[in-house]
Amino acid sequence: MIVSKTTQCYHCGDEVSHTAYEADGHAFCCLGCQSVYQILSSSNMQQYYRYNTHPGKKKTEASVRYEYLDEAAIADKLIDFKNDEISVATFYIPSIHCSSCIWLLEHLYKLHPAIVMSQSDFLKKQVNIRFKHTELTLRGLVELLVDIGYEPKITLQDVIKEGRKFSQKGLIAKIAVAGFCFGNSMMLSFPEYFGMGAFEARYSEFFGWMNLGFALPVLLYSGRDYFRSAWHSLRRKELNLDVPLAIGIAVLFVRTAWEVSSTSGPGFADTLCGLVFFLLVGRWIQERTYHHLSFERDYRSYFPIAVTRLGEGGAKPVPLADIRVGDRLLIRNNEIVPADAILLKGQAAIDFSFVTGESDPVRKVLGEIIYAGGRQTGEAIELEVVKAVSQSYLTRLWNNEAFKPYERNFRTFSNTVSRYFTVTLLGIACSVLAYWFLAGDGVRAWGAFTAVLIIACPCALALSSPFTLSAALSIFDKNRLYIKNTAAIEQLATIDCLVFDKTGTISSPSASRMRFEGSLLPHEWEMVRAVCKNSSHPLSRELVKWAGEGSSESLSLSEYREIAGKGIEAIVSDYRIRVGSASYTGAPGNEKGSRVYVSIDGEVKGCFLVAQPWRQNLGLVLGELAKERRLHLISGDNDKEKARLRSIFPPQADLLFGRLPIEKMEFIQSLQAKGHRVCMFGDGLNDAGALKQANLGVAVSDDINNFSPGCDAILDGRSFVKLPRFFRFAKDAVKVIHMSFGISLAYNLIGLSFAVTGTMSPLFAAVLMPLSTVTIIGFTTVATHLYARKNQLIKS
């Protein structure tokens, strides 16, 4: 129905000039906006409009053609993952601009039943969508996004790169408007400050209205984000750090409008413009600094995983960053596929649980593509890379909390303080307002109320944690400890109990010494080597290296399986080969020593005796760690090394041997039940359950693919000796947060002592407030690097 009226479009907020399209009593500026509303309404998604008054984007009249997405070759380049039923794609959507956008994009499943899940990233303006391609094509998905006003920007390049482009154009425009209005309002206010002569006094009323005119665009344009944030916070029945700022800005404007219109005073337009200007400058500095830290982490840090590349010189581990299209990779059991690749050899059974949440292995045939993020669960396979490694994709998998079996309840310092800061600040401001009103001084009451809200600005508090911890993340990265997020650093500082695995954790697989006791014929040697080649366990890798080159590549292998904590088994040339513990292979179980037994068709042929040297300066490292924390060891190996380890570990440490993976996890649970905050160090293979259960799980990696989304950090084996320094630095980083909070608190208390008496001008408070922000940024950056230098994590 078409009606004549002049109003605003219910969907996008544009003015309706002549005719409007109407639906459910709401007016729309065009058929596109009306159709988007009807799509949402038919799916019972009118809640979209509750987050902002006019959250929608206008649907373009010219229909974009997406027929090219029906071409499989083009569509495959835009797909992150695809199996028989599910596809996963990431789109860069420039029009994401507010909380309602996030809400709608994360509720796409209500618009189409084929959409399984969608996750949005507001900062990068991306949305990751998992959908059933048998019911909805990629073209159909894109057209659905276009229909609701969120047209993705599609290129055949990595969409993540587009999202990483850092732009502050909108913020700079707001700063420019606020700065222009601030300068002009100050100029018009000079006569008021220095005393107006008879000539200026004739124009004081005109100057007041001019100032009010300059305050309007600052209020409605430059400062609107603070009002949005405060409104959303209040709707959720919370008080975030923008609430007092929004109240302060609103009070300044209301006072200015009242004084100018009633000719009772000049108002505070210059203070309002100055406050918003300096607030935005502080935000600009914050975003620039934070983006620099994020950029450094994204592009200069790589997970310490090596991918086995096959070439003329044989198998060789190479860094993830060196993998190129066309490279041939060897992926062993339990290893992550780092890039999209075609299966060339072997039986692939891929666990895509880190991508889809489904843990059932998916069988792949030769020539079929295997997407990055899958974990091989059978024999070793050979792949040819067809798409460059996407570090950002692996990072997204690592940070994906959707598939974690539990949620760690840990409240950061900033979250704890911010819960009470806003309530306390508002309480002080209202008390001051009431006090001076009761004292009969209304002018001072409003001045004190406004100054309190401004001088106690929580910006410095809000910045102390992210800047300190982001700088700390960068320093940890450079020292080859790759921590998942900033909250894990605060968690690291609270750890009071450390649990170590033995093989590959406190021992160094690369320096192990091995000999064989028993009798194996040449062809039996080749069969054993062929079986061990498929395993990613450190001892299997060392056994293959010790056995040397052979012709095992020509042997046929089937029914491969690996049982954590026991051993590996496969059929090679009709022989059943088992390599592992005594109980698993059928050997007598009373032998002493670190032994790996070999049985062929049930007959024990002998065993490998393995002597694994401890990591460099292990005794010194554990001695340092034991000064402030309890230490324990739990291993699946036998207890031959118990006497040696007892001399290295503190007397009160538990040394447990012969434990299965489930028993390791139960041991962690028992420690947590006693009130300990536990950090587990493991190799990421047999220790996956314990790493997830611990308050902080650290996978220790040497030259093997230990990318494990279930852990909180990955430690390069070469940096094991730095563990005491890492723990000290984590505590120092938290100390910097506390010190910066103390500086901010001292600043607020001193400022409040003047503000509550009404002797501090709101303009003076507005100038001092951003200076505290700059001070905190500078202090946290310098202090964090000084502590890093003190702990010998960066060079002097």
Side-chain angles (χ1 to χ4, degrees), residues 614-674:
W614 308 130
R615 291 196 182 272
Q616 182 183 8
N617 297 324
L618 177 64
L620 294 176
V621 171
L622 296 182
E624 283 288 314
L625 293 173
K627 291 179 180 179
E628 299 181 5
R629 303 164 191 85
R630 293 184 63 88
L631 270 58
H632 302 285
L633 177 123
I634 186 165
S635 173
D637 295 342
N638 57 45
D639 61 356
K640 183 237 179 176
E641 305 287 351
K642 186 172 183 177
R644 290 178 61 197
L645 289 170
R646 177 52 68 191
S647 65
I648 299 176
F649 275 80
Q652 68 272 21
D654 291 328
L655 305 183
L656 308 176
F657 297 90
R659 301 306 168 99
L660 296 173
I662 185 65
E663 293 174 316
K664 294 182 180 182
M665 186 174 68
E666 291 171 349
F667 179 68
I668 299 293
Q669 290 173 332
S670 68
L671 292 173
Q672 292 171 328
K674 297 176 183 177

Side-chain angles (χ1 to χ4, degrees), residues 94-107:
S95 58
I96 296 178
H97 70 290
C98 64
S99 57
S100 58
C101 302
I102 297 174
W103 183 88
L104 177 58
L105 292 172
E106 292 190 348
H107 287 77

Side-chain angles (χ1 to χ4, degrees), residues 90 96 252 291 352 368 391 396 448 485 539 564 574 618 651:
T90 302
I96 296 178
L252 284 173
H291 176 264
F352 284 110
E368 194 171 358
Q391 182 71 21
R396 191 163 66 246
N485 51 46
L539 289 182
D574 297 327
L618 177 64

Side-chain angles (χ1 to χ4, degrees), residues 539-659:
L539 289 182
S540 299
R541 299 284 298 275
E542 291 306 309
L543 193 152
V544 172
K545 188 185 301 182
W546 179 81
E549 297 295 328
S551 58
S552 58
E553 286 77 6
S554 61
L555 298 177
S556 60
L557 183 145
S558 61
E559 298 185 21
Y560 177 89
R561 66 172 181 160
E562 184 168 347
I563 302 177
K566 293 186 177 181
I568 54 180
E569 176 184 8
I571 294 179
V572 183
S573 301
D574 297 327
Y575 292 93
R576 183 169 293 276
I577 311 295
R578 280 194 174 189
V579 181
S581 65
S583 60
Y584 185 65
T585 57
N590 57 353
E591 293 88 345
K592 300 291 184 181
S594 296
R595 300 169 181 250
V596 179
Y597 291 87
V598 176
S599 71
I600 300 178
D601 285 341
E603 180 184 353
V604 178
K605 294 289 186 176
C607 66
F608 293 92
L609 278 77
V610 184
Q612 288 188 310
W614 308 130
R615 291 196 182 272
Q616 182 183 8
N617 297 324
L618 177 64
L620 294 176
V621 171
L622 296 182
E624 283 288 314
L625 293 173
K627 291 179 180 179
E628 299 181 5
R629 303 164 191 85
R630 293 184 63 88
L631 270 58
H632 302 285
L633 177 123
I634 186 165
S635 173
D637 295 342
N638 57 45
D639 61 356
K640 183 237 179 176
E641 305 287 351
K642 186 172 183 177
R644 290 178 61 197
L645 289 170
R646 177 52 68 191
S647 65
I648 299 176
F649 275 80
Q652 68 272 21
D654 291 328
L655 305 183
L656 308 176
F657 297 90
R659 301 306 168 99

Side-chain angles (χ1 to χ4, degrees), residues 330-535:
L330 178 68
I331 305 296
R332 299 176 179 85
N333 178 68
N334 215 34
E335 288 186 347
I336 292 279
V337 178
D340 295 351
I342 292 176
L343 178 62
L344 298 181
K345 182 180 179 181
Q347 300 292 323
I350 308 297
D351 174 6
F352 284 110
S353 58
F354 294 133
V355 183
T356 66
E358 299 293 334
S359 59
D360 294 335
V362 178
R363 300 287 175 180
K364 297 289 184 177
V365 299
L366 297 181
E368 194 171 358
I369 191 169
I370 298 178
Y371 289 92
R375 186 189 292 273
Q376 168 66 350
T377 59
E379 64 186 71
I381 56 177
E382 294 183 14
L383 308 172
E384 180 177 327
V385 178
V386 296
K387 193 174 181 180
V389 173
S390 175
Q391 182 71 21
S392 56
Y393 179 66
L394 293 181
T395 303
R396 191 163 66 246
L397 287 180
W398 197 33
N399 286 311
N400 190 353
E401 299 293 325
F403 310 123
K404 299 193 76 169
Y406 69 99
E407 181 179 356
R408 297 187 176 97
N409 295 317
F410 180 73
R411 183 173 290 276
T412 63
F413 176 76
S414 179
N415 290 340
T416 302
V417 173
S418 63
R419 294 173 61 191
Y420 309 104
F421 185 90
T422 302
V423 175
T424 303
L425 175 59
L426 290 176
I428 294 174
C430 292
S431 299
V432 169
L433 179 68
Y435 174 82
W436 287 112
F437 257 123
L438 293 175
D441 194 341
V443 174
R444 178 172 287 193
W446 285 112
F449 177 74
T450 309
V452 166
L453 292 176
I454 297 171
I455 200 67
C457 171
C459 292
L461 167 66
L463 296 180
S464 60
S465 286
F467 277 92
T468 302
L469 296 178
S470 295
L473 269 183
S474 176
I475 291 168
F476 279 124
D477 286 353
K478 292 174 183 176
N479 287 273
R480 297 189 292 270
L481 173 60
Y482 302 86
I483 299 179
K484 179 175 290 188
N485 51 46
T486 55
I489 297 179
E490 291 193 62
Q491 185 79 292
L492 182 65
T494 66
I495 294 298
D496 62 4
C497 183
L498 307 180
V499 179
F500 294 90
D501 180 40
K502 184 169 80 72
T503 304
T505 303
I506 65 170
S507 63
S508 177
S510 60
S512 63
R513 297 184 296 272
M514 185 176 294
R515 75 177 191 272
F516 181 74
E517 288 186 354
S519 176
L520 282 175
L521 298 175
H523 74 281
E524 292 174 334
W525 272 108
E526 294 300 331
M527 289 190 295
V528 171
R529 185 178 182 277
V531 174
C532 292
K533 183 181 177 182
N534 294 272
S535 173

